[in-house]
């Protein structure tokens, strides 16, 4: 365990049972935080993340909640506060894709992505801001995407939601800054996770100046900097791209 910058702090990561969320949870535990591993439907995977953190000398526990539902998001924040006593870091990572061309996209697929990828970020941020305002400190990081900045055919719903996260991030940052709370976003490019399986091809790799997909740990490193590093204390309302130069 190196650089224990989050000792005596609690960090909640939504959608932390796999992929980028898992890597972020491990990185924040490595920085000393007690990590709340949120999951929606995979208790076994969440338990494995908790076990991995504990094996590395860290502290973690899992909490189930579908943050696309307002009541469950509120309940998640409440449960974390009751168990840990404070909430110092929130990473809004949970997200899904329901790809399809605009003209063929089902309304249900549009709404499902908006509900989790955008509304879920709003619900959790609003709920977490209350205790952070009282303690006059907090760091919030929202995982957006370069797709929300540049668009991508077949992902109108995902791009719209992730663009919305950028606007929400910048507005939240302005509203909360005076109470010592920073709000930033990290915009991954194409990262090697379950979500991008099958996408890797010569055309995509040629579009990425660094010539390869990113790893979840690359995104986790950016989140760790924004949440755990004192050097990030004056950074708020920003979007940090971790994309190999694709945008």
């Amino acid at each position: 365990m190196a650089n224990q910058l989050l000792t005596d702090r609690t960090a909640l990561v939504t959608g932390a049972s796999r992929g980028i969320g898992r890597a972020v949870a491990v990185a924040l535990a490595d920085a000393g935080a007690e990590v709340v591993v949120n999951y929606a439907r995979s208790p076994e995977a969440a338990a494995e993340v908790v076990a991995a953190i504990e094996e590395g000398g860290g502290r973690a526990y899992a909490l189930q909640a579908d943050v696309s539902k307002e009541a469950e998001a509120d309940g998640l924040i409440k449960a974390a506060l009751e168990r840990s006593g404070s909430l110092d870091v929130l990473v809004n990572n949970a997200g899904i894709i329901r790809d399809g061309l605009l003209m063929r996209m089902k309304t249900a697929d549009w709404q499902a992505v908006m509900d989790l990828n955008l509304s879920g970020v709003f619900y959790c941020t609003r709920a977490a801001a209350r205790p952070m305002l009282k303690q006059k400190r907090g760091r919030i990081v929202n995982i957006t995407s370069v797709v929300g900045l540049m668009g991508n055919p077949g992902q109108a719903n995902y791009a719209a939601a992730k663009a919305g996260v950028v606007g929400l991030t910048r507005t939240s940052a302005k509203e909360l800054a005076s109470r010592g709370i920073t709000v930033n976003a990290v915009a991954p490019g194409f990262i090697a996770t379950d979500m991008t399986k099958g996408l890797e091809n010569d055309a995509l790799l040629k579009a990425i100046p660094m010539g390869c997909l990113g790893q979840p740990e690359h995104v986790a490193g950016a989140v760790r900097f924004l949440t755990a590093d004192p050097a990030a204390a004056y950074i708020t309302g920003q979007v940090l791209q971790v994309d190999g130069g694709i945008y």
Side-chain angles (χ1 to χ4, degrees), residues 145-230:
S145 170
V146 291
V147 170
L149 306 176
M150 67 184 189
N152 197 38
Q155 291 193 306
N157 48 4
Y158 188 77
K162 292 299 189 179
V165 168
V166 172
L168 176 59
T169 297
R170 290 180 167 146
T171 298
S172 303
K174 291 188 173 185
E175 291 188 13
L176 301 175
S178 66
R179 300 301 288 273
I181 302 166
T182 65
V183 189
N184 292 289
V186 172
F190 289 89
I191 307 297
T193 66
D194 290 344
M195 197 177 280
T196 58
K197 273 184 180 174
L199 290 182
E200 190 170 0
N201 55 53
D202 290 342
L204 175 60
L205 295 179
K206 284 180 181 177
I208 303 171
M210 292 194 75
C212 61
L213 298 189
Q215 296 300 316
E217 290 72 22
H218 294 141
V219 182
V223 174
R224 176 173 170 153
F225 166 66
L226 290 169
T227 57
D229 197 319

Side-chain angles (χ1 to χ4, degrees), residues 114-125:
M114 298 301 287
D115 287 347
L116 180 58
N117 296 18
L118 181 55
S119 295
V121 177
F122 166 68
Y123 297 145
C124 289
T125 298

Side-chain angles (χ1 to χ4, degrees), residues 5 19 36 90 94 121 168 237:
L5 297 167
V36 185
L90 169 65
V121 177
L168 176 59

Side-chain angles (χ1 to χ4, degrees), residues 16-17 37 39 42-55 60-62:
S17 64
V37 177
Y39 68 97
S42 49
E44 298 84 4
E48 191 278 326
V49 177
V50 170
I53 288 171
E54 292 177 340
E55 286 169 11
Y61 60 91

